[in-house]
């Protein structure tokens, strides 16, 4: 990877900027005790964890905006003039307008806490610990760069609210530093960036996420890494790049301390650069891993190197096009000569081809006569087969009709009382065997069960009642399904048609005539 400290050192600083940073410079922003009272990143994190609903700004009725991170609160007041004074100073939240009061955490961090009953949607009081920590770090490095820093600055018309607003000592420039931790769409981020641009304010979006920053490279942004244990400085892990003119590609620069990066940006030694379309796949490492970026922070020298390389590439492309044109012209001349030879050969072959074509036409005529005779023969065979199939289908339909009528007569032998008697007998048997009552679903005969009525117990097929004996051989259900009939006479009829006697159950119920005799 590129070394973060070397990038601006290879580029001339713009007019009026600070001298180019030396490689030995370091920004230990959290190693110096800040007005909030935290001397290390760990202490700052613990302090913030003690007051998740804290805010660092408030509105004073006389002095206006207060900033708890500044020694004079940003307006020439001492902390003792708002902290634990009686009567209590009437302070309000700049975001929601709710009453707040000055407070210190157990670790002596200064902040403003909402009075009970605050609106639940106040953005300042709902920000995460990580958000607070990053805002404090950004404010610290901005101030260390010699610029003024204000937290939670809102536009007069409410169109934007900067986490940290950096202002040049002479008041000539302003730049917003936004700590972006929550998910946001690229369209929303571009719209918010446009609002800053319309107001003449620069912006840099800062994310501490290790991964999942899809908008990195689409707007002026960097990804930062918090300091590990025992290290004071945050570093920029992604978002800075330098152009390698030999390779004709951008290479990411990582390892730059956040304080150094901030100073370079504020001194205009680094600026956001929209990468030319051809170069938007940048090297994350010199070994070859790449990612797509549309915008990076870089120096004027790298921007100029990209422009030079693009002009060189365009000249090379123009030369290639000229070479290609000359080659195409030579190829065209060669093609015309070959075309002339081909036409001469074509003329000689034409006479031979005409004779061959006449012979071929005669062979084709004879072949067509033969094919037509074959087609007529096959057509006759097809009509004969279709007639046979039609007759077979009519015979099948007739057999099915006769079978349906016979099955209807088979069921006509049974009265409603006899049907209910048979179904009740099967249901009693199923209760005994399955502990579930077997019953038909719709009292309709089913062709696939040889015009019998299927009964179901507990949602599964239990057996078939009175299949029509003559239809049984056409179906295979009887090989594994029980068959229920009224008496031995009916059982004998279905057994004769191939039903395994072990699968036949009869209840020795009388026939219709026997019932009347009784």
């Amino acid at each position: 990877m590129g070394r973060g400290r070397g990038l601006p050192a290879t580029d001339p600083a713009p007019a009026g900027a600070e001298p180019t940073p030396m490689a030995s410079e370091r920004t230990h922003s959290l190693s110096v005790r800040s007005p909030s009272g935290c001397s290390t990143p760990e202490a700052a994190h613990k302090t913030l964890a003690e007051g998740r609903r804290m805010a660092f700004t408030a509105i004073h009725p006389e002095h206006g905006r207060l900033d708890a991170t500044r020694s004079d609160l940003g307006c020439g007041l001492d902390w003792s003039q708002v902290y634990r004074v009686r009567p209590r100073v009437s302070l309000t939240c700049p975001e929601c307008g709710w009453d707040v009061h000055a407070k210190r955490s157990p670790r002596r961090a200064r902040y403003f806490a909402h009075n009970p009953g605050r609106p639940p949607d106040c953005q300042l009081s709902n920000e995460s610990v990580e958000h607070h920590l990053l805002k404090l770090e950004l404010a610290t490095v901005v101030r260390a760069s010699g610029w003024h820093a204000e937290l939670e600055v809102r536009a007069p018309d409410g169109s934007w609210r900067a986490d940290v607003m950096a202002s040049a000592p002479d008041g000539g420039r302003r730049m917003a530093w936004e700590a972006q931790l929550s998910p946001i769409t690229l369209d929303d981020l571009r719209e918010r960036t446009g609002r800053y641009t319309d107001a003449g304010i620069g912006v840099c979006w800062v994310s501490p996420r290790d991964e999942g920053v899809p908008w990195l490279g689409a707007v002026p942004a960097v990804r930062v890494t918090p300091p590990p244990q025992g290290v004071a400085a945050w570093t920029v892990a992604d978002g800075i790049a330098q152009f390698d003119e030999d390779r004709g590609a951008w290479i990411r620069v990582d390892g730059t301390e956040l304080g150094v990066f901030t100073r370079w940006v504020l001194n205009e030694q680094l600026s956001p650069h929209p990468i030319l379309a051809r170069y938007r796949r940048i090297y994350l490492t010199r070994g070859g891993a790449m990612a797509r970026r549309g915008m990076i922070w870089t120096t004027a020298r790298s921007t100029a190197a990209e422009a030079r390389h693009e002009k060189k590439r365009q000249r090379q492309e123009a030369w290639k096009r000229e070479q290609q044109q000359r080659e195409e012209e030579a190829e065209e001349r060669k093609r015309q000569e070959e075309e002339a030879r081909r036409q001469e050969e074509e003329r000689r072959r034409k006479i031979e081809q005409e004779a061959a074509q006449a012979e071929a036409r005669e062979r084709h005529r004879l072949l067509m006569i033969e094919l037509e005779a074959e087609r007529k023969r096959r057509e006759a065979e097809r009509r004969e087969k279709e007639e046979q199939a039609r007759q077979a289908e009519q015979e099948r339909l007739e057999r099915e009709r006769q079978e349906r009528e016979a099955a209807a007569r088979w069921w006509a032998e049974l009265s409603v009382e006899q049907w209910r008697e048979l179904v009740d007998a099967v249901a009693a048997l199923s209760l005994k065997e399955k502990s579930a009552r077997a019953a038909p679903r719709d009292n309709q005969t089913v062709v696939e069960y040889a015009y019998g009525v299927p009964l179901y117990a507990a949602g599964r097929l239990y057996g078939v009642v009175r299949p029509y004996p003559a239809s049984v051989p056409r179906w295979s259900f009887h090989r594994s399904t029980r068959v229920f009939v009224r008496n031995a006479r009916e059982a004998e009829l279905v057994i004769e048609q191939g039903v395994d006697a072990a699968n036949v159950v009869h209840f020795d119920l009388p026939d219709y005539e026997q019932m009347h005799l009784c």
Side-chain angles (χ1 to χ4, degrees):
M1 296 186 183
R3 294 296 302 160
R5 304 223 163 264
L7 188 144
T10 63
D11 295 71
E18 291 182 348
T20 302
M22 299 301 292
S24 60
E25 291 182 20
R26 295 292 185 268
T27 300
H28 300 285
S29 57
L30 289 181
S31 63
V32 179
R33 182 170 298 274
S34 67
S36 63
C38 300
S39 59
T40 66
E42 294 80 6
H45 194 282
K46 292 178 180 178
T47 295
L48 291 169
E50 294 165 352
R52 288 182 62 88
R53 303 195 181 282
M54 65 172 59
F56 295 108
T57 57
I59 303 300
H60 191 283
E62 298 177 4
H63 297 277
R65 183 183 181 86
L66 305 183
D67 186 341
T69 67
R70 301 180 65 176
S71 58
D72 64 350
L73 302 184
C75 62
L77 288 180
D78 187 77
W79 180 251
S80 62
Q81 293 179 261
V82 296
Y83 178 62
R84 289 188 175 180
V85 296
R86 291 294 183 271
R88 178 179 287 181
V89 181
S90 178
L91 305 176
T92 57
C93 174
E95 178 70 20
C96 64
W98 198 257
D99 290 340
V100 298
H101 58 278
K103 195 171 182 179
R104 279 189 182 274
S105 74
R107 297 179 181 272
R108 310 301 294 166
R110 302 187 325 198
Y111 65 96
F112 298 103
H114 283 72
N115 291 346
R118 68 167 180 83
D121 58 349
C122 178
Q123 295 183 11
L124 290 183
S125 60
N126 288 331
E127 289 179 349
S128 66
V129 172
E130 292 80 3
H131 199 141
H132 283 300
L133 185 62
L134 184 51
K135 284 201 304 185
L136 283 175
E137 177 66 15
L138 290 172
T140 302
V141 296
V142 167
R143 291 166 184 163
S145 300
W147 281 46
H148 302 295
E150 291 184 86
L151 278 74
E152 303 152 3
V153 178
R154 178 181 289 275
D157 60 358
S159 59
W160 48 261
R161 180 176 69 82
D163 286 336
V164 177
M165 178 61 73
S167 301
D170 61 1
R173 287 177 55 217
R174 288 195 299 170
M175 182 168 181
W177 295 82
E178 290 282 3
Q180 187 63 40
L181 284 77
S182 59
I184 186 172
T185 66
L186 181 55
D187 289 341
D188 288 343
L189 205 63
R190 283 174 171 160
E191 181 181 358
R192 292 173 62 183
T193 301
R195 294 174 190 167
Y196 283 118
T197 302
D198 293 342
I201 299 172
V203 63
C204 181
W205 299 90
V206 183
S207 173
R209 300 303 186 198
D210 291 338
E211 296 179 356
V213 189
W215 40 265
L216 185 66
V219 294
V222 291
R223 182 171 62 83
V224 297
T225 302
Q229 186 74 23
V231 178
W234 288 58
T235 57
V236 177
D238 201 347
I240 311 175
Q242 63 183 5
F243 192 80
D244 187 333
E245 203 164 351
D246 293 334
R247 301 176 69 175
W250 289 93
I251 301 175
R252 184 179 70 179
V253 177
D254 59 4
T256 303
E257 292 181 8
L258 179 58
V260 174
F261 167 75
T262 305
R263 184 169 69 256
W264 287 345
V265 170
L266 296 179
N267 290 338
E268 297 184 285
Q269 294 170 274
L270 290 181
S271 61
H273 169 63
I275 301 176
L276 298 178
R278 181 174 290 271
Y279 305 98
R280 287 180 181 171
R281 284 181 58 81
I282 74 170
Y283 285 95
L284 300 180
T285 64
R286 292 189 178 273
M290 303 186 78
R292 183 168 290 277
R293 296 282 190 272
M295 179 176 292
I296 45 83
W297 289 91
T298 192
T299 61
R301 179 169 181 173
S302 282
T303 301
E306 181 193 48
R308 284 195 305 272
H309 188 276
E310 177 63 13
K311 288 182 179 179
K312 178 181 178 182
R313 185 195 64 80
Q314 291 178 1
R315 288 195 301 269
Q316 292 174 344
E317 289 292 331
W319 181 84
K320 289 180 181 178
R321 286 193 296 270
E322 292 175 359
Q323 286 292 102
Q324 183 177 1
Q325 182 176 359
R326 287 193 290 269
E327 292 174 359
E328 288 175 354
E329 290 174 353
E331 185 67 25
E332 176 63 18
R333 289 192 297 272
K334 181 180 179 181
R335 187 194 65 79
Q336 291 175 356
E337 293 172 358
E338 292 178 351
E339 178 65 16
R341 288 193 296 270
R342 186 194 65 79
Q343 290 178 358
E344 178 62 22
E345 293 174 357
E346 182 70 18
R347 187 187 65 79
R348 291 196 299 267
R349 288 196 299 266
K350 188 173 182 181
I351 298 174
E352 299 174 359
Q353 288 178 351
E354 288 177 353
Q357 288 172 359
E359 182 181 353
R361 284 195 295 271
E362 178 62 18
R363 289 197 302 270
H364 182 265
R365 186 183 68 80
L366 297 176
L367 178 61
M368 290 298 101
I369 293 173
E370 182 180 349
L371 291 176
E372 179 62 16
E374 177 67 14
R375 186 192 65 78
K376 290 180 179 179
R377 183 185 64 79
R378 291 182 179 180
E379 179 65 18
E381 291 179 353
R382 183 187 62 79
R383 286 196 296 269
E384 182 179 358
K385 289 180 180 179
E386 287 179 352
E387 179 61 22
Q388 292 174 353
R390 186 187 64 79
Q391 293 178 359
E393 178 64 12
Q394 289 180 346
E395 292 173 359
R396 183 188 66 79
L397 294 175
E398 178 61 21
R399 287 196 302 272
E400 289 183 356
R401 184 189 65 77
Q402 293 176 1
E403 187 176 322
R404 284 196 302 272
E405 292 177 354
R409 290 193 296 273
W410 162 258
W411 278 100
E413 297 175 358
L414 215 63
S415 65
V416 175
E417 292 78 6
Q418 287 176 306
W419 163 246
R420 291 176 180 170
E421 179 184 34
L422 177 56
V423 171
D424 290 343
V426 177
L429 180 61
S430 71
L431 284 172
K432 180 178 179 181
E433 293 180 346
K434 303 291 186 179
S435 298
R437 181 180 180 84
R441 289 181 175 173
D442 53 11
N443 290 330
Q444 297 294 323
T445 61
V446 178
V447 176
E448 289 78 4
Y449 293 119
Y451 295 97
V453 178
L455 300 185
Y456 298 86
R460 302 184 64 178
L461 180 65
Y462 182 65
V464 179
V465 176
R466 289 192 90 235
Y468 175 50
S471 296
V472 167
R474 289 204 305 120
W475 307 98
S476 61
F477 71 90
H478 59 80
R479 297 174 184 171
S480 59
T481 304
R482 301 175 76 182
V483 175
F484 300 103
V485 294
R486 288 185 57 81
N487 47 46
R489 179 183 67 82
E490 293 183 350
E492 183 177 354
L493 291 175
V494 296
I495 291 172
E496 288 177 353
Q497 297 300 325
V499 179
D500 190 347
N503 291 337
V504 180
V505 178
H506 74 82
F507 297 95
D508 206 18
L509 299 176
D511 287 329
Y512 180 76
E513 294 80 1
Q514 292 173 327
M515 290 184 66
H516 278 68
L517 289 174
C518 293

